[in-house]
């Protein structure tokens, strides 16, 4: 109780030395988990066996000694898990209660309530439980009446006065020790980034005086003393000075075990001295690009931190790299950078077994190889080869052998720690922004799998960080080449679509003599329906099925739409720019926001250099139509930290793709989809949309997407967390495609009624290095239902969607 009012502020509760077992919705779940277990089980079990020798003999008669021991170990493991993830009953401790009183008193005093009074009252209940009430009377707070400074060093005094308007300790504010600590941090950062290398928190102190002033008013004094120097067994003080870095040494192959080994090779470039105990492995010109510390410039903490981060990010040196400073006779500084190289070559082999509907069994092997410092400029080349021997369904294979198909693929990435561009970009993107160039290429080939897809992807992109909060990525080129070689096998691979046409043929019964407009038979020699020919027959406008049988006709349109999506060949040459902002200050920070914007252009530049095909009258390259479109995306995230173990998270995403040139559709791989473990979790991926259309398609895509999510995450006990969430959104078509149903199109604000809503809960287990997630999503509002009331119609566990994921969805 604080001033006779109940207080549940997490910050205040954190000062209690003893708190009751955590409750979720009034239930102490952590206690119940603990009570499932038996503390000291092994000892108690052995004592029970010693008292009941006949029981042990009976166990051994039924099971072997080894089996009995295995069962004991299994039970011990389960028992230990409950003990670890549960919380033991909290026993009242008078010592901890008194310490809680002291902690609460200090807390309120730190907030300016110097006269705060804290006491406690214990209430014993009949069920052997005790309630402890802490009674806090804050009394009047104290305010800052005046602020003076006593700064001995003239340099520090000048810097302080120059930036005094940014002080966090302000006259008229209530006393708050947290602000004093933050002001100390601000001054340390200010001075050390202005060249005052030796300054630290121990050189300053705030004094608060409550005597001689009007009631509840204080005078605050900031005292900053001179530097204390220890030299030649003597101790003296001297004013702080701004220090310059006049020398930078870079030891490129430092080893602690060989630290006294003589330098064998050295080089000087642009103010940097590179030294090596072996032959110098790095080109000084390129390695210098990753060192932000500058010769003949004043010392700055930020330059040291950026240098450390950039060098670690090169993947050439061990994370234990060190940067130390030495004071020279003239008072200047020498910066010594100690780098310990990683192995130049690494090699890895992985294998796994896979299975799916199309691939009942397969063995996959992967070989990975990396080469560091490829061109002596800290570049990294990563190459991988992977292949699979597979057993696929007999109707898809061309061989009777067990392993009747294969997949092979290869990928290569070459990373440069600098911008590779014909024009010098250093004035726009200086090295302090840690620029990088990435060149990527991947090839994937299939044989007798699905539609025998060939996929080649290559790209060149640049990344840089303009500030601690802002990242940029510019893709100068990202080309994807997709070709399917066995589109005639479509209805064999996607059997559900063939079955759907069979169902339609039960209504639109074709005569055995019927043929398509091109003369193709609707039945094969075995009397089975030829799905491709029958689909052509139904969609032929001259047959009039759109009028006589509109339902079956629309179903056939859906089948054709899906087939065109999954069999399309595409050449997608993309240029894009991505802007990313986040003000998160550290891994433990759970109150922050983030913003990402992306602009994509596909084929619009390429098409300027490509002629139209005489056959298709469209821009083609390598025999494929060039996909032309513009896409823009915006995503906003906001995190509110309720306390250190619970967070409220919001995300909103909107993306739209607009056709340009002669393109009639957005490539399937670049279209939007809805549903899935990181999206609208009450629907599986591809199941939702577009719009309010209800169809039988397995892969629903659109060119406009809008989603919004709200999730409350909280700790249940120890590493077990939970979440409650609401997801909303949908996809629509904005390409004006002639085969798209009107319900799937976006028609302005009126289409917002098509936004689907899902809600649910999740259980997560935090392994520290990753989070395992299980979410259950329930369909809350279904825009495609024919009934007027579309809320909670299928809101039950039978229609729920269960999603397994790694890490948080956003």
């Amino acid at each position: 109780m604080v001033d006779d009012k109940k207080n549940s502020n997490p910050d205040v509760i954190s000062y209690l030395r003893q708190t009751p077992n955590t409750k979720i919705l009034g239930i102490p779940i952590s206690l119940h988990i603990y009570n499932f277990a038996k503390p000291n089980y092994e000892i108690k079990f052995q004592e029970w066996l010693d008292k009941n020798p006949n029981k042990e003999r009976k166990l051994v008669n039924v099971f072997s000694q080894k089996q009995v021991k295995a069962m004991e170990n299994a039970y011990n493991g389960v028992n230990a898990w409950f003990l670890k993830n549960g919380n033991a009953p909290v026993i009242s401790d008078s010592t901890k209660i008194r310490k809680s009183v002291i902690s609460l008193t200090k807390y309120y005093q730190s907030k300016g309530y110097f006269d705060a009074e804290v006491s406690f009252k214990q209430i014993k209940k009949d069920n052997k439980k005790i309630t402890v009430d802490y009674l806090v009377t804050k009394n009047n707070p104290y305010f800052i009446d005046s602020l003076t400074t006593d700064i001995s060093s003239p340099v520090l005094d000048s810097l302080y006065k120059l930036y005094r308007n940014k002080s966090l300790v302000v006259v008229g504010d209530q006393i708050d020790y947290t602000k004093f600590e933050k002001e100390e941090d601000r001054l340390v950062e200010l001075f050390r980034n202005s060249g005052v290398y030796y300054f630290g928190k121990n050189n300053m102190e705030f004094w608060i005086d409550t005597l001689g002033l009007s009631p509840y008013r204080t005078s605050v004094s900031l005292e900053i003393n001179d530097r204390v120097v220890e030299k030649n067994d003597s101790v003296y003080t001297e004013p702080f000075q701004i220090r310059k870095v006049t020398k930078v040494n870079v030891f490129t192959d430092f080893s602690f075990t060989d630290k006294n080994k003589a330098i064998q090779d050295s080089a000087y470039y642009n103010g940097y001295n590179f030294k090596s105990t072996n032959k110098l492995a790095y080109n000084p010109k390129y390695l210098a690009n990753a060192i932000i510390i500058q010769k003949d410039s004043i010392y700055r903490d930020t330059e040291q931190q950026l240098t450390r981060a950039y060098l670690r990010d090169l993947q050439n040196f061990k994370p234990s790299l060190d940067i130390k400073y030495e004071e020279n006779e003239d008072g200047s500084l020498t910066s010594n950078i100690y780098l310990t190289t990683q192995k130049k070559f690494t090699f890895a082999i992985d294998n796994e077994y896979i299975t799916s509907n199309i691939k009942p069994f397969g063995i996959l092997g992967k070989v990975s190889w990396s080469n560091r410092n490829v061109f002596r400029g800290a570049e990294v080349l990563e190459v991988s080869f992977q292949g699979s021997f597979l057993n696929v369904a007999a109707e898809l294979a061309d061989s009777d052998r067990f392993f009747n198909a294969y997949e092979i693929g290869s990928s290569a990435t070459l990373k440069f720690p600098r911008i590779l561009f014909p024009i010098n970009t250093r004035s726009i993107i200086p090295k302090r922004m840690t620029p990088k160039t990435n060149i990527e290429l991947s090839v994937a080939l299939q044989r007798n799998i699905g539609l025998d897809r060939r996929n080649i992807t290559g790209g060149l992109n640049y990344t840089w960080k303009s500030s601690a909060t802002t990242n940029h990525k510019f893709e100068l080129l990202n080309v994807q080449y997709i070709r399917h070689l066995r589109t005639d096998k479509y209805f064999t691979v996607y059997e559900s679509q063939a079955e759907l046409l069979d169902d339609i043929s039960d209504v639109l019964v074709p005569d055995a003599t019927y043929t398509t407009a091109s003369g193709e038979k609707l039945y094969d020699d075995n009397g089975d329906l030829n799905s491709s020919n029958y689909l052509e027959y139904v969609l032929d406008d001259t047959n009039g099925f759109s009028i006589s049988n509109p339902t079956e006709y629309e179903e056939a349109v859906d089948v054709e739409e899906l087939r065109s999506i999954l069999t399309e060949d595409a050449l997608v040459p993309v240029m894009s720019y991505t802007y990313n902002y986040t003000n998160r200050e550290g891994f433990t920070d759970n109150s922050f926001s983030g913003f990402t914007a992306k602009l994509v252009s596909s084929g619009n530049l390429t098409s300027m250099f490509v002629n139209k095909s005489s056959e298709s009258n469209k821009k083609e390259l390598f025999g494929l139509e060039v996909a032309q479109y513009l896409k823009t995306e915006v995503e906003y995230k906001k995190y509110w930290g309720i306390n250190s173990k619970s967070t409220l998270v919001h995300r909103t995403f909107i993306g739209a793709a607009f056709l340009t040139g002669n393109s009639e559709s957005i490539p399937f791989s670049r279209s939007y989809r809805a549903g899935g473990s990181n999206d609208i979790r009450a629907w599986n991926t591809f199941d939702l949309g577009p719009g309010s259309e209800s169809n039988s398609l397995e892969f629903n895509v659109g060119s406009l997407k809008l989603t919004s999510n709200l999730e409350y995450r909280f700790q249940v006990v120890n590493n077990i967390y939970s979440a409650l969430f609401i997801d909303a959104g949908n996809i629509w078509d904005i390409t004006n495609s002639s085969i798209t149903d009107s319900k799937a199109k976006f028609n302005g604000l009126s289409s917002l009624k098509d936004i689907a809503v899902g809600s649910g809960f999740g259980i997560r287990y935090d392994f520290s290095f990753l989070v395992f997630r299980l979410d259950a999503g329930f369909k809350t509002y279904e825009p495609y239902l024919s009934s007027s009331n579309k809320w909670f119609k299928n809101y039950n566990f039978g229609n729920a969607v269960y999603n397994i994921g790694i890490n948080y969805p956003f």
Side-chain angles (χ1 to χ4, degrees):
M1 301 287 287
V2 178
D3 293 338
D4 297 326
K5 295 180 180 179
K6 188 174 181 179
N7 188 300
S8 57
N9 186 337
D11 290 335
V12 175
I13 293 174
S14 67
Y15 282 86
L16 299 179
R17 292 295 180 266
Q18 188 177 48
T19 56
N21 291 100
T22 305
K23 293 182 178 180
I24 304 296
L25 301 177
I27 303 172
I29 296 177
S30 61
L31 176 60
H32 290 316
I33 291 175
Y34 183 88
N35 287 337
F36 272 115
K38 296 180 180 179
N40 303 317
Y41 163 76
E42 292 182 351
I43 297 174
K44 293 180 179 179
F45 182 70
Q46 189 59 49
E47 290 176 351
W48 178 79
L49 288 178
D50 292 342
K51 293 179 180 178
N52 301 275
N54 292 331
K55 298 289 185 181
E56 184 174 14
R57 282 195 295 271
K58 288 182 179 179
L59 283 174
V60 174
N61 288 335
V62 178
F63 305 100
S64 68
Q65 188 72 40
K66 187 176 181 179
Q67 289 174 320
V68 172
K69 189 64 178 176
M71 287 188 289
E72 288 181 19
N73 291 336
Y75 183 85
N76 285 341
V78 174
N79 191 69
W81 187 91
F82 281 108
L83 290 174
K84 177 183 177 181
N85 291 283
N87 284 335
V90 177
I91 308 301
S92 178
D93 187 325
S94 58
T95 302
K96 290 182 178 180
I97 292 174
R98 287 192 293 271
K99 288 183 177 180
S100 296
V101 170
I102 296 172
S103 294
L104 286 172
T105 303
K106 290 181 178 180
Y107 168 76
Y108 281 102
Q109 288 176 345
S110 74
K111 296 299 181 182
Y113 299 99
F114 294 157
D115 301 327
E117 302 173 76
V118 182
S119 60
F120 70 94
K121 179 173 62 176
Q122 287 182 297
I123 303 173
K124 294 184 178 180
K125 298 183 177 180
D126 295 337
N127 55 4
K128 297 183 180 181
K129 293 183 180 180
I130 293 178
T131 298
V132 180
D133 291 338
Y134 293 94
L135 310 175
V136 179
T137 302
K138 293 186 297 186
N139 293 315
N140 292 324
Y142 284 72
F143 294 85
I144 301 173
D145 186 73
S146 63
L147 174 62
T148 58
T149 60
D150 181 10
I151 304 175
S152 301
S153 301
V155 166
L156 299 188
D157 189 50
S158 298
L159 287 169
Y160 177 83
K161 290 177 179 177
L162 185 63
Y163 296 97
R164 187 169 189 166
N165 62 328
K166 295 185 177 181
S167 175
L168 302 175
V169 179
V170 181
V171 172
D173 284 359
Q174 184 175 324
I175 292 290
D176 187 341
Y177 288 176
T178 302
K179 289 186 177 181
F180 287 103
E181 292 174 359
K182 290 182 177 180
E183 174 67 1
E184 289 179 345
D185 292 336
R186 184 187 75 87
L187 292 176
V188 169
E189 181 180 353
L190 168 64
F191 295 150
R192 287 183 64 85
N193 282 312
S194 300
V196 189
Y197 171 69
Y198 292 101
F199 188 81
K201 274 190 175 183
N202 59 319
N203 298 112
M204 63 177 153
E205 190 171 4
F206 280 99
W207 295 90
I208 301 175
D209 187 4
T210 59
L211 300 177
L213 295 174
S214 56
Y216 309 114
R217 312 296 293 182
T218 68
S219 61
V220 176
S221 175
L222 170 62
E223 183 179 306
I224 302 180
N225 300 315
D226 284 340
R227 176 192 173 196
V228 177
V229 182
E230 297 183 22
K231 191 174 182 180
N232 299 328
D233 297 328
S234 61
V235 179
Y236 59 92
T237 61
E238 65 178 25
F240 282 98
Q241 299 291 338
I242 292 176
R243 306 290 181 178
K244 290 184 67 176
V245 178
T246 57
K247 193 174 184 180
V248 181
N249 297 320
V250 184
F251 300 89
T252 61
D253 60 350
F254 176 77
S255 171
F256 186 79
T257 56
D258 296 331
K259 61 181 179 179
N260 297 321
K261 189 176 179 180
I263 299 299
Q264 299 295 325
D265 195 6
S266 63
Y268 178 84
Y269 177 78
N270 201 24
Y272 301 104
N273 299 298
F274 295 91
K275 302 180 179 183
S276 176
T277 57
N278 299 292
K279 182 176 176 57
L280 194 61
Y282 293 88
N283 186 323
K285 176 183 178 180
Y286 295 133
L287 189 55
N289 192 66
I291 302 173
I292 314 302
I293 299 169
Q294 296 287 327
K295 179 180 178 294
D296 295 330
S297 65
I298 64 171
Y299 170 84
R300 290 184 176 88
D301 261 3
T302 52
E303 290 186 351
Q304 180 188 176
Q305 294 162 2
L306 283 171
T307 298
R308 193 186 306 275
Y310 202 178
L311 288 169
R312 283 176 174 167
D313 205 34
L314 295 181
Q315 297 179 259
N316 274 249
F317 308 105
K318 293 183 178 180
S320 57
L321 65 90
D322 197 10
I323 302 177
K324 294 183 178 179
Y325 289 83
E326 295 178 1
E327 185 175 6
N328 303 319
E329 290 295 329
D330 61 356
S332 64
L333 299 174
T334 294
S335 175
N336 294 311
I337 302 174
Y338 299 95
L339 306 176
T340 303
T341 56
Q342 303 262 31
K343 290 181 179 180
K344 181 174 177 59
F345 301 104
T346 57
F347 184 78
I349 299 177
D350 297 307
N351 64 79
E352 60 184 271
Y353 302 97
I354 57 177
T355 182
S356 69
N357 292 335
I358 298 175
K359 298 171 283 190
F361 182 76
I363 300 175
L364 182 146
K366 182 177 181 180
V367 177
S368 302
W369 176 79
S370 64
N371 181 357
R372 296 181 175 88
N373 196 29
V374 181
F375 307 116
R376 299 185 66 242
E379 306 85 3
V380 177
L381 173 63
E382 297 175 345
V383 180
S384 67
F385 299 91
Q386 64 184 41
S388 304
F389 293 100
L390 302 160
N391 168 254
V392 301
E395 60 269 23
L396 300 179
D398 292 339
S399 171
D400 294 332
R401 291 176 297 181
F402 181 77
F403 289 114
N404 50 21
Y406 65 81
E407 284 182 301
I408 58 174
S410 178
S411 64
T413 303
L414 183 56
K415 304 175 183 177
F416 294 85
R418 52 193 175 276
I419 296 291
L420 295 182
F421 201 72
I423 302 173
N424 192 332
T425 60
R426 290 186 180 178
S427 59
I428 305 173
I429 308 174
K431 64 179 182 179
R432 66 175 179 80
M433 294 186 180
T434 61
K436 301 179 187 66
T437 300
N438 302 298
I439 302 174
E440 302 168 346
L441 177 65
S442 66
V443 179
L445 309 175
Q446 296 177 340
R447 174 62 179 168
N448 290 343
I449 303 167
L451 306 178
D452 277 7
R453 175 169 163 159
R454 304 292 190 259
N455 193 337
I456 302 175
T457 303
L460 170 65
N461 65 73
Y462 307 98
T463 61
W464 66 96
K465 191 171 185 176
S466 59
S467 69
T469 59
T470 307
N471 291 283
H472 307 263
K473 181 177 180 180
F474 174 60
E475 282 188 307
L476 181 61
L477 184 64
N478 181 297
V479 181
Q480 186 177 32
Y481 172 95
I482 303 172
R483 183 180 286 279
H484 299 89
L485 302 184
R486 296 201 302 168
T487 55
D488 58 307
K489 293 282 187 178
Y490 177 80
F491 287 106
T492 304
V493 175
Y494 299 98
E495 294 180 357
S496 61
Q497 299 299 292
E499 292 171 357
L500 184 56
L501 290 178
D502 280 337
D503 292 340
I504 295 175
S505 70
D506 291 337
V507 178
L508 299 178
V509 184
D511 189 274
T513 61
Y514 285 2
T515 63
T516 65
S518 57
E520 298 294 331
K521 295 181 179 181
L522 302 188
Y523 290 91
D524 62 20
D525 295 337
N526 296 322
D528 296 325
L529 189 71
N530 187 307
S531 300
S532 296
N533 294 343
Y534 182 68
L535 181 60
E536 180 185 343
Y537 167 76
V538 174
L539 295 180
D540 188 343
D541 290 337
T542 60
N543 292 326
F545 294 126
S546 60
I547 299 174
S548 63
N549 297 81
T551 301
E552 288 74 22
Y553 180 82
E554 287 300 325
E555 291 176 348
V557 169
D558 290 343
V559 173
E560 176 57 25
E561 183 178 349
L562 180 60
R563 183 170 71 158
S564 64
I565 288 173
L566 296 181
T567 62
E568 70 175 344
D569 296 331
L571 180 67
V572 190
V574 162
M575 179 184 293
S576 70
Y577 168 73
T578 304
Y579 171 90
N580 181 266
Y581 168 86
T582 177
N583 57 9
R584 189 175 191 180
E585 296 182 352
F587 182 75
T588 58
D589 183 10
N590 64 347
S591 292
F592 62 96
S593 59
F595 174 80
T596 301
K598 186 174 183 179
L599 180 64
V600 179
S601 172
S602 173
N604 297 299
L605 181 62
T606 305
S607 62
M608 296 174 61
F609 306 96
V610 178
N611 294 322
K612 288 185 178 181
S613 167
S614 58
E615 295 181 2
S616 65
N617 198 34
K618 295 180 179 179
K619 295 292 184 75
E620 291 186 359
L621 187 63
F622 305 123
L624 296 180
E625 179 186 343
V626 176
Q628 293 179 260
Y629 62 86
L630 288 173
K631 180 188 284 189
T632 181
E633 299 176 350
V634 175
E635 182 179 54
Y636 175 75
K637 299 178 183 179
K638 176 64 178 177
Y639 294 71
W640 294 274
I642 309 302
N643 54 50
S644 61
K645 300 298 182 181
S646 61
T647 309
L648 182 65
V649 186
H650 165 74
R651 176 183 67 169
T652 291
F653 172 90
I654 183 170
F658 306 93
L659 292 175
T660 59
N662 295 315
S663 289
E664 296 178 352
S665 64
I666 308 298
F668 174 72
S669 61
R670 305 301 174 102
S671 297
Y672 293 111
R673 63 212 61 179
S677 62
N678 297 327
D679 199 69
I680 306 172
R681 285 161 281 187
W683 284 265
N684 289 314
T685 307
F686 293 108
D687 277 1
L688 178 60
S692 59
E693 183 181 16
S694 178
N695 57 51
S696 57
L697 292 181
E698 296 179 52
F699 300 92
N700 292 291
V701 294
S703 48
L704 172 67
K705 181 175 182 178
L706 173 63
T707 60
S708 188
N709 313 82
L710 187 66
E711 179 169 289
Y712 175 58
R713 302 167 183 168
F714 56 93
Q715 184 184 41
V716 177
V717 56
N718 295 335
N719 292 342
I720 302 176
Y721 289 76
S722 186
L724 304 174
F725 59 82
I726 298 175
D727 304 326
N730 208 332
I731 55 174
W732 293 266
D733 176 69
I734 56 174
T735 64
N736 293 320
S737 172
S738 59
I739 64 172
T740 302
D741 189 276
S742 60
K743 294 181 179 180
K745 295 180 180 295
F746 186 79
N747 301 303
L749 294 178
S750 62
S751 292
L752 295 182
K753 68 180 184 299
D754 298 337
I755 290 178
V757 180
S759 57
F761 64 92
I763 297 293
R764 290 88 188 270
Y765 191 88
D766 190 348
F767 288 96
S768 72
F769 59 92
L770 62 82
V771 176
F772 178 80
R773 173 166 54 93
L774 175 63
D775 291 332
F778 300 89
K779 296 175 177 61
T780 309
Y781 177 80
E782 301 172 76
Y784 46 79
L785 294 180
S786 57
S787 60
S788 58
N789 182 11
K790 304 177 182 182
W791 288 92
F792 302 104
K793 288 296 184 180
N794 294 293
Y795 197 87
N796 52 61
F797 283 96
N799 290 291
V801 173
Y802 300 93
N803 298 279
I804 295 177
I806 300 298
N807 294 327
Y808 292 106
F810 45 84

